[in-house]
mmCIF file of all heavy atoms in Angstrom:
data_model
loop_
_atom_site.group_PDB
_atom_site.id
_atom_site.type_symbol
_atom_site.label_atom_id
_atom_site.label_comp_id
_atom_site.label_asym_id
_atom_site.label_seq_id
_atom_site.Cartn_x
_atom_site.Cartn_y
_atom_site.Cartn_z
ATOM 1 N N ASN A 25 38.873 82.159 -68.739
ATOM 2 C CA ASN A 25 39.359 81.535 -67.507
ATOM 3 C C ASN A 25 40.076 82.505 -66.586
ATOM 4 O O ASN A 25 40.103 82.312 -65.374
ATOM 5 C CB ASN A 25 40.298 80.368 -67.842
ATOM 6 C CG ASN A 25 39.587 79.250 -68.569
ATOM 7 O OD1 ASN A 25 38.383 79.062 -68.404
ATOM 8 N ND2 ASN A 25 40.322 78.514 -69.405
ATOM 9 N N THR A 26 40.643 83.576 -67.164
ATOM 10 C CA THR A 26 41.463 84.482 -66.369
ATOM 11 C C THR A 26 40.717 85.733 -65.919
ATOM 12 O O THR A 26 40.863 86.196 -64.784
ATOM 13 C CB THR A 26 42.713 84.915 -67.170
ATOM 14 O OG1 THR A 26 43.393 83.745 -67.633
ATOM 15 C CG2 THR A 26 43.656 85.746 -66.302
ATOM 16 N N TYR A 27 39.902 86.284 -66.782
ATOM 17 C CA TYR A 27 39.305 87.597 -66.488
ATOM 18 C C TYR A 27 37.779 87.600 -66.363
ATOM 19 O O TYR A 27 37.206 88.537 -65.809
ATOM 20 C CB TYR A 27 39.686 88.587 -67.603
ATOM 21 C CG TYR A 27 41.171 88.785 -67.722
ATOM 22 C CD1 TYR A 27 41.874 88.230 -68.783
ATOM 23 C CD2 TYR A 27 41.877 89.516 -66.773
ATOM 24 C CE1 TYR A 27 43.246 88.413 -68.902
ATOM 25 C CE2 TYR A 27 43.252 89.697 -66.877
ATOM 26 C CZ TYR A 27 43.936 89.139 -67.944
ATOM 27 O OH TYR A 27 45.283 89.310 -68.052
ATOM 28 N N LEU A 28 37.141 86.586 -66.855
ATOM 29 C CA LEU A 28 35.684 86.599 -66.873
ATOM 30 C C LEU A 28 35.130 85.833 -65.681
ATOM 31 O O LEU A 28 35.494 84.687 -65.452
ATOM 32 C CB LEU A 28 35.184 85.956 -68.173
ATOM 33 C CG LEU A 28 33.696 86.150 -68.500
ATOM 34 C CD1 LEU A 28 33.395 87.620 -68.740
ATOM 35 C CD2 LEU A 28 33.324 85.317 -69.729
ATOM 36 N N VAL A 29 34.249 86.517 -64.891
ATOM 37 C CA VAL A 29 33.613 85.864 -63.756
ATOM 38 C C VAL A 29 32.105 86.024 -63.888
ATOM 39 O O VAL A 29 31.600 87.015 -64.424
ATOM 40 C CB VAL A 29 34.081 86.462 -62.401
ATOM 41 C CG1 VAL A 29 35.553 86.183 -62.174
ATOM 42 C CG2 VAL A 29 33.800 87.958 -62.330
ATOM 43 N N GLU A 30 31.393 85.045 -63.422
ATOM 44 C CA GLU A 30 29.933 85.099 -63.443
ATOM 45 C C GLU A 30 29.441 85.968 -62.310
ATOM 46 O O GLU A 30 29.837 85.790 -61.153
ATOM 47 C CB GLU A 30 29.352 83.689 -63.314
ATOM 48 C CG GLU A 30 27.835 83.669 -63.407
ATOM 49 C CD GLU A 30 27.272 82.270 -63.290
ATOM 50 O OE1 GLU A 30 28.063 81.321 -63.086
ATOM 51 O OE2 GLU A 30 26.037 82.126 -63.386
ATOM 52 N N HIS A 31 28.625 86.948 -62.632
ATOM 53 C CA HIS A 31 28.102 87.862 -61.616
ATOM 54 C C HIS A 31 26.607 87.644 -61.472
ATOM 55 O O HIS A 31 25.835 87.858 -62.397
ATOM 56 C CB HIS A 31 28.365 89.312 -62.001
ATOM 57 C CG HIS A 31 27.747 90.296 -61.028
ATOM 58 N ND1 HIS A 31 28.213 90.493 -59.762
ATOM 59 C CD2 HIS A 31 26.668 91.119 -61.167
ATOM 60 C CE1 HIS A 31 27.468 91.395 -59.142
ATOM 61 N NE2 HIS A 31 26.526 91.784 -59.973
ATOM 62 N N LYS A 32 26.187 87.187 -60.291
ATOM 63 C CA LYS A 32 24.772 87.037 -59.970
ATOM 64 C C LYS A 32 24.349 88.252 -59.162
ATOM 65 O O LYS A 32 24.973 88.593 -58.161
ATOM 66 C CB LYS A 32 24.546 85.763 -59.170
ATOM 67 C CG LYS A 32 24.833 84.496 -59.962
ATOM 68 C CD LYS A 32 24.546 83.253 -59.140
ATOM 69 C CE LYS A 32 24.806 82.002 -59.969
ATOM 70 N NZ LYS A 32 24.550 80.768 -59.174
ATOM 71 N N GLU A 33 23.302 88.924 -59.590
ATOM 72 C CA GLU A 33 22.869 90.155 -58.933
ATOM 73 C C GLU A 33 22.463 89.875 -57.488
ATOM 74 O O GLU A 33 21.666 88.990 -57.210
ATOM 75 C CB GLU A 33 21.699 90.778 -59.690
ATOM 76 C CG GLU A 33 21.292 92.136 -59.120
ATOM 77 C CD GLU A 33 20.220 92.801 -59.965
ATOM 78 O OE1 GLU A 33 19.843 92.245 -61.001
ATOM 79 O OE2 GLU A 33 19.776 93.888 -59.567
ATOM 80 N N ASP A 34 23.057 90.622 -56.583
ATOM 81 C CA ASP A 34 22.772 90.486 -55.163
ATOM 82 C C ASP A 34 21.382 91.057 -54.886
ATOM 83 O O ASP A 34 21.104 92.219 -55.201
ATOM 84 C CB ASP A 34 23.837 91.239 -54.363
ATOM 85 C CG ASP A 34 23.741 90.965 -52.875
ATOM 86 O OD1 ASP A 34 22.626 90.699 -52.391
ATOM 87 O OD2 ASP A 34 24.777 91.036 -52.199
ATOM 88 N N ALA A 35 20.527 90.264 -54.291
ATOM 89 C CA ALA A 35 19.158 90.723 -53.999
ATOM 90 C C ALA A 35 19.171 91.937 -53.089
ATOM 91 O O ALA A 35 18.323 92.826 -53.199
ATOM 92 C CB ALA A 35 18.363 89.591 -53.361
#
Side-chain angles (χ1 to χ4, degrees):
N25 296 332
T26 307
Y27 299 107
L28 193 65
V29 294
E30 183 180 3
H31 176 71
K32 294 182 178 179
E33 185 174 357
D34 189 330

